[in-house]
Amino acid sequence: MFSQVIRFTLPPTLTISTPAFLELRRQAAAAGATAQYYGYSIPTGAPLPKKRHEICWAINWPETSDRNSITSDLDNLSTGDATSLLFQFTDEQSSNLEKALDAPVCEFACIRLTDDAPLFDAALQRSMHKTYLDTYKLLGFTGGTWEYAINTNETSGVPCNIPQEKLVPQAERRLAVYPLGWESIELHQDGSKTAIFAEEMDKLSPYFGRGSGAWYVMFRKHQ
């Protein structure tokens, strides 16, 4: 399964409830999308910048679907700034992803590894996964997963209107994104001050590159 996270802004005359966005979600469903979530990104002082009135739209696609079918209409609906992050999840991961997207608050935690980070070092690989496993020990965590982006190494994503999608070779993927579900932002912030949270963060911090950080969304599910 592919999961696509699109971020964009609307003209100041429109809101997330505009019928045009509803129609676009219906087009995505007709093109094969199996689940869709959407909501405004939340301004919380998180270390990644958020555009004013930014909308986050998460779409799950089967591998045979046409993800480009909504590109032109999305470009017309938005202010032309839509960007995409693309991930590939296994069936087992998809159930955990759903828990993150269904949560009261979904955090997208991003670790952009530096260009000199030893990607195939066993200790680094363990820490990248254990920092996810440790979230299960934090109060307020509801579920989630993680994976490397397959279409870019930049947290900002790639423009949705590029003519042809390119994938990053597996050996060169450095942008890890952790969709994590929380009962509240405050509970996550409390958890981030604990020794459990710091254990792997301290090991990984020398490899944090520009673009590491997080943003939050309170998702609605498209029906």
Side-chain angles (χ1 to χ4, degrees):
M1 179 195 79
F2 290 106
S3 185
Q4 185 177 24
V5 178
I6 296 174
R7 284 177 285 170
F8 66 96
T9 56
L10 293 171
T13 55
L14 298 177
T15 73
I16 200 170
S17 300
T18 178
F21 184 36
L22 172 59
E23 178 57 30
L24 190 56
R25 298 196 306 273
R26 287 173 174 167
Q27 290 181 31
T34 57
Q36 300 180 64
Y37 296 79
Y38 63 100
Y40 286 109
S41 299
I42 306 170
T44 61
L48 285 179
K50 182 197 80 69
K51 297 178 183 177
R52 185 171 173 80
H53 303 307
E54 180 180 272
I55 292 170
C56 185
W57 181 18
I59 311 172
N60 293 341
W61 300 98
E63 297 192 14
T64 57
S65 59
D66 180 11
R67 297 187 300 276
N68 296 324
S69 61
I70 61 172
T71 300
S72 59
D73 287 332
L74 176 60
D75 202 35
N76 292 332
L77 173 65
S78 71
T79 58
D81 61 350
T83 60
S84 169
L85 293 173
L86 187 65
F87 308 91
Q88 190 167 19
F89 292 110
T90 64
D91 290 342
E92 181 180 0
Q93 288 175 301
S94 65
S95 63
N96 288 328
L97 174 64
E98 185 176 0
K99 293 176 183 177
L101 300 176
D102 280 331
V105 176
C106 181
E107 175 199 14
F108 288 93
C110 304
I111 298 178
R112 200 301 187 182
L113 294 171
T114 57
D115 291 343
D116 60 352
L119 297 182
F120 298 101
D121 178 75
L124 176 62
Q125 292 177 355
R126 281 195 301 270
S127 286
M128 291 294 287
H129 189 60
K130 189 172 180 296
T131 195
Y132 156 66
L133 294 178
D134 284 350
T135 56
Y136 283 89
K137 304 174 185 177
L138 301 180
L139 184 66
F141 179 67
T142 66
T145 189
W146 78 280
E147 195 53 84
Y148 287 99
I150 64 174
N151 66 333
T152 181
N153 281 326
E154 304 306 321
T155 312
S156 56
V158 296
C160 288
N161 57 8
I162 58 174
Q164 186 173 2
E165 186 177 58
K166 295 182 180 179
L167 300 183
V168 179
Q170 187 169 6
E172 299 174 16
R173 295 172 187 171
R174 295 179 176 274
L175 177 61
V177 179
Y178 300 69
L180 305 173
W182 300 97
E183 292 181 8
S184 75
I185 293 175
E186 289 81 4
L187 285 170
H188 170 248
Q189 291 173 335
D190 290 347
S192 69
K193 299 173 184 176
T194 63
I196 293 173
F197 180 89
E199 182 177 351
E200 300 307 321
M201 289 292 101
D202 290 346
K203 296 175 184 177
L204 292 169
S205 60
Y207 304 115
F208 284 2
R210 182 178 179 180
S212 297
W215 80 91
Y216 300 89
V217 187
M218 296 176 68
F219 277 125
R220 315 174 195 179
K221 188 173 185 178
H222 173 73
Q223 302 297 333

